Amino acid sequence: MSFNKSRTWKWKNWDISWSLSKNSTFENNTNILLVHGFGASKNHWRHNQDFLGNVSNCYAIDLLGFGESSQPSASLNYEPYKKNCIKYSFDLWSNQISTFCSEVIKSPVYVVGNSIGGVIALKTAEILRDNCKGAILIDCAQRTMDDKRLKKSDILMNLIRPLLKTFVRQRIISNTLFTRAANPQVIKKILAQAYPSGKNIDEELIEILYRPSTRKNSKEAFRGFINLFDDYLATDLFSKIDIPIQLIWGEKDPWESLNEAKEWKKRFNNIKRLDIIQGAGHCPHDEEPEETNKLICEFIQETK
């Protein structure tokens, strides 16, 4: 399939790549912004952007460090300042997305995020306040390795965690891990876990995930992300925003617990819907796009 034309927006010193749905004739309307997950890009919304664009202008964006956006070097907390280095974090990405909404979209948005894009969507909503009409979280990252989730009773993890942190800080280690993961055969194996039905695992999808990894500085966002041991959890953010939230979850997600998503629905009143897609995994928007698109449209119709 042909992807929507990539456009470039200058944010600070960096180039940010984004695209707009083909049928973009709506004026003064609520818009939709799609935020991809870790290791993906705006093209991961290949089966969603133009369909949702029939409802409203639908934007997709590459997070800094991913896709076709700039890939500055990663700087960790303990490292001295270096020019053109940044600390990859949810604050960084959420400020990117919220500024894009203010400078490019310039009207209220529904923010749709998959995986870590879900956490970014929530933080973006907190920044945008009244200019965010709702958040749609597709298999939102639960961040089980965050320090705040470590239980005191987990003695073994408490013992090995400092060693783990020291280990992944080393650039030679993070680069080695990245190089082993960033090849088409490994990507295909990971996709077999992420897409349990096997639907839509094709050469185009492998290329979507593989091509950005061949860029010169692609290892840096990976290093920055795997060192985020103390950052936002979705549960930190639900109570800070006063907008309707939809959860869409693949029933067989191997990485983000459906049972935990059900607990979120019980705990937080602003989560209006939890829609479970049978047989799907971590990326139901690509594995089961027709059902996912229908559920997103229903939620927007109910809340706009």
Side-chain angles (χ1 to χ4, degrees):
M1 68 188 301
S2 60
F3 298 115
N4 290 328
K5 178 183 177 182
S6 292
R7 313 182 190 204
T8 301
W9 166 62
K10 202 76 174 179
W11 181 55
K12 300 184 178 181
N13 295 321
W14 303 302
D15 291 331
I16 302 298
S17 185
W18 61 280
S19 62
L20 181 59
S21 51
K22 291 183 176 69
N23 297 327
S24 302
T25 58
F26 302 91
E27 295 181 3
N28 300 319
N29 196 4
T30 297
N31 302 275
I32 302 168
L33 175 61
L34 307 174
V35 184
H36 63 80
F38 178 69
S41 69
K42 62 184 181 299
N43 290 337
H44 200 203
W45 303 102
R46 57 185 176 154
H47 298 306
N48 316 106
Q49 187 176 18
D50 283 336
F51 182 92
L52 297 174
N54 293 319
V55 176
S56 187
N57 294 331
C58 187
Y59 298 78
I61 191 168
D62 285 337
L63 295 170
L64 189 69
F66 297 100
E68 296 176 300
S69 288
S70 294
Q71 297 177 322
S73 295
S75 177
L76 306 184
N77 283 337
Y78 70 95
E79 294 176 332
Y81 170 79
K82 288 184 180 179
K83 189 176 181 181
N84 297 323
C85 290
I86 58 163
K87 181 180 185 298
Y88 285 99
S89 68
F90 288 106
D91 272 328
L92 175 81
W93 289 314
S94 301
N95 281 316
Q96 172 198 333
I97 298 303
S98 59
T99 307
F100 179 81
C101 291
S102 300
E103 293 186 359
V104 178
I105 299 179
K106 298 181 181 177
S107 56
V109 296
Y110 283 85
V111 185
V112 183
N114 172 233
S115 193
I116 68 164
V119 181
I120 294 165
L122 291 171
K123 185 60 183 176
T124 297
E126 182 186 1
I127 297 169
L128 291 177
R129 301 177 68 84
D130 291 343
N131 283 320
C132 185
K133 303 297 289 184
I136 298 161
L137 315 182
I138 302 175
D139 294 72
C140 180
Q142 294 164 348
R143 306 202 58 249
T144 55
M145 290 297 291
D146 192 276
D147 289 343
K148 295 184 288 298
R149 299 203 56 169
L150 186 61
K151 297 176 182 177
K152 292 181 180 178
S153 59
D154 194 340
I155 298 172
L156 178 61
M157 183 55 71
N158 277 284
L159 287 173
I160 67 173
R161 197 171 185 82
L163 295 175
L164 174 66
K165 289 182 177 182
T166 301
F167 185 72
V168 298
R169 282 176 184 169
Q170 312 307 313
R171 191 170 254 107
I172 189 172
I173 299 299
S174 64
N175 286 354
T176 300
L177 293 172
F178 179 86
T179 300
R180 289 181 177 177
N183 75 73
Q185 292 306 313
V186 173
I187 290 170
K188 192 170 184 178
K189 290 179 181 178
I190 294 171
L191 287 171
Q193 294 181 346
Y195 292 51
S197 72
K199 292 180 181 178
N200 289 330
I201 298 178
D202 52 26
E203 292 304 316
E204 180 180 76
L205 177 59
I206 293 170
E207 184 70 6
I208 287 170
L209 300 174
Y210 174 65
R211 181 177 292 275
S213 73
T214 64
R215 295 176 62 199
K216 180 180 178 181
N217 236 24
S218 57
K219 300 177 177 68
E220 291 301 305
F222 177 81
R223 178 177 187 251
F225 180 74
I226 64 172
N227 280 280
L228 287 183
F229 288 101
D230 186 13
D231 210 319
Y232 296 111
L233 302 176
T235 48
D236 298 331
L237 298 167
F238 287 133
S239 58
K240 295 183 178 180
I241 56 179
D242 186 23
I243 57 167
I245 298 168
Q246 178 185 31
L247 303 180
I248 297 176
W249 226 268
E251 174 204 17
K252 295 184 178 180
D253 188 328
W255 302 318
E256 309 297 347
S257 165
L258 174 58
N259 286 334
E260 184 164 344
K262 290 177 179 178
E263 289 300 314
W264 290 358
K265 177 66 171 63
K266 292 176 184 177
R267 287 176 56 193
F268 299 100
N269 292 331
N270 50 350
I271 299 178
K272 304 303 181 184
R273 295 178 58 148
L274 167 58
D275 294 299
I276 301 168
I277 298 184
Q278 300 298 316
H282 187 60
C283 306
H285 63 288
D286 194 55
E287 188 180 3
E288 295 287 355
E290 290 184 4
E291 186 170 355
T292 303
N293 291 339
K294 178 177 72 72
L295 293 170
I296 292 172
C297 289
E298 287 177 0
F299 178 73
I300 291 174
Q301 186 63 35
E302 291 167 2
T303 57
K304 69 179 181 181

